Amino acid sequence: MSKQDLVRLIEAIDRLAVGGFTMGADWQAVHDICQRHEGEQPFDWGHALCHRIEGDDWNADYWYRRAGKARGTGTMVDEWSAMRTELSAKA
């Protein structure tokens, strides 16, 4: 995983956040990035967030497990804030 790929993920989720974490083109962009990096922890975590947004808790929980994370219990904004801090430290 390159740091540039991680920066792309962060930027894509930032755009998704600006749009209110709704399904659409920004969601699809994040999902596509995550699928291209399946098996890499930060991207599996992003994949989990996508499916949480989608409302597919079963699928989201699968990706959270793969990422070694627990599903957030707060808002998407709260989860992204914590996630962004951790990912930014790796980028």
Side-chain angles (χ1 to χ4, degrees), residues 57-83:
D57 291 342
W58 181 90
N59 203 359
D61 287 343
Y62 168 81
W63 289 103
Y64 280 114
R65 283 190 304 277
R66 288 203 45 172
K69 299 291 182 180
R71 183 175 2 139
T73 58
T75 67
M76 291 296 171
V77 172
D78 293 338
E79 184 167 357
W80 174 232
S81 178
M83 187 177 175

Side-chain angles (χ1 to χ4, degrees), residues 3-18 26 29-30 33 80 84 87-88:
K3 290 186 180 209
Q4 187 175 22
D5 291 335
L6 196 50
V7 168
R8 279 191 199 106
L9 176 64
I10 293 166
E11 290 171 349
I13 300 176
D14 278 344
R15 287 189 297 276
L16 184 59
V18 167
D26 291 328
V30 172
I33 290 168
W80 174 232
R84 192 181 199 293
L87 296 182
S88 294

Side-chain angles (χ1 to χ4, degrees), residues 28-42:
Q28 190 63 55
V30 172
H31 192 259
D32 291 347
I33 290 168
C34 293
Q35 283 189 312
R36 283 194 299 272
H37 293 276
E38 185 175 331
E40 298 175 49
Q41 188 273 340

